[in-house]
């Protein structure tokens, strides 16, 4: 049984991402496998949401979640090109889409309140990222 929660780091995909960053193994290329198909599987959605939160931590001075508290994000920050931000916007848009995302479908199955508890913060974060990407 995997980890499951509405927070950006409350799931297995995000946990794997955090571990990769913590071990110094993370590159954007290392997660591209999760976004290759037209239909976005759950891992891709979880990774996209976690990446969104990490970008907001380093670019918008968002308070760090305890899961990311001790991470050295210097190499992650240096990899954030404008192209990567544009790519991430597209991946988060796919994640919150009702037709292209397994993660959306799983939250939708839980009911409207649960879907909103997951989706509203992601949509808000996506809006913040859009602002950051044009600065």
């Amino acid at each position: 049984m995997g980890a499951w929660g509405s927070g950006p780091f409350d799931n297995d995909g995000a946990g794997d991402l955090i571990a990769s960053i913590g071990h110094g193994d993370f590159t954007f290329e290392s997660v591209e496998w999760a976004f290759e198909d037209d239909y976005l599987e759950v891992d891709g959605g979880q990774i996209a949401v976690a990446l969104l939160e990490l970008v907001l931590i380093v670019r918008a001075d968002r308070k760090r979640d305890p899961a990311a508290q001790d991470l050295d994000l210097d190499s992650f920050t240096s990899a954030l090109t404008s192209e990567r931000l544009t790519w991430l916007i597209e991946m988060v848009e796919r994640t919150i889409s009702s037709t292209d995302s397994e993660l959306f479908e799983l939250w939708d199955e839980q009911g409207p309140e649960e879907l909103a508890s997951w989706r509203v913060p992601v949509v808000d974060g996506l809006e913040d990222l859009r602002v950051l990407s044009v600065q």
Side-chain angles (χ1 to χ4, degrees):
M1 175 126 191
W4 180 258
S6 62
F9 303 114
D10 293 346
N11 53 68
D12 292 333
D16 292 344
L17 176 69
I18 294 294
S20 175
I21 292 170
H23 291 118
D25 300 331
F26 173 79
T27 64
F28 279 94
E29 291 78 15
S30 71
V31 296
E32 286 179 353
W33 63 268
F35 303 97
E36 293 176 344
D37 297 329
D38 290 337
Y39 181 75
L40 188 61
E41 300 287 337
V42 69
D43 287 336
Q46 292 173 343
I47 292 167
V49 171
L51 286 171
L52 169 65
E53 187 67 17
L54 290 171
V55 169
L56 295 175
I57 287 170
V58 299
R59 291 281 178 97
D61 293 325
R62 183 172 281 191
K63 184 180 177 205
R64 283 192 187 212
D65 183 281
Q69 194 64 44
D70 296 327
L71 284 181
D72 178 356
L73 295 173
D74 290 342
S75 62
F76 175 79
T77 303
S78 65
L80 293 176
T81 63
S82 61
E83 292 82 15
R84 286 293 179 200
L85 294 177
T86 299
W87 174 83
L88 183 55
I89 288 169
E90 292 171 10
M91 296 310 106
V92 175
E93 287 172 343
R94 289 178 63 198
T95 300
I96 60 175
S97 167
S98 62
T99 58
D100 297 327
S101 170
E102 182 181 22
L103 188 56
F104 180 95
E105 290 176 9
L106 291 171
W107 278 107
D108 190 41
E109 290 173 3
Q110 302 303 308
E113 289 181 25
E114 289 81 3
L115 174 63
S117 75
W118 166 75
R119 192 172 187 275
V120 168
V122 176
V123 170
D124 291 346
L126 180 58
E127 290 306 312
D128 292 344
L129 179 56
R130 284 187 177 116
V131 170
L132 288 172
S133 70
V134 295
Q135 293 178 346

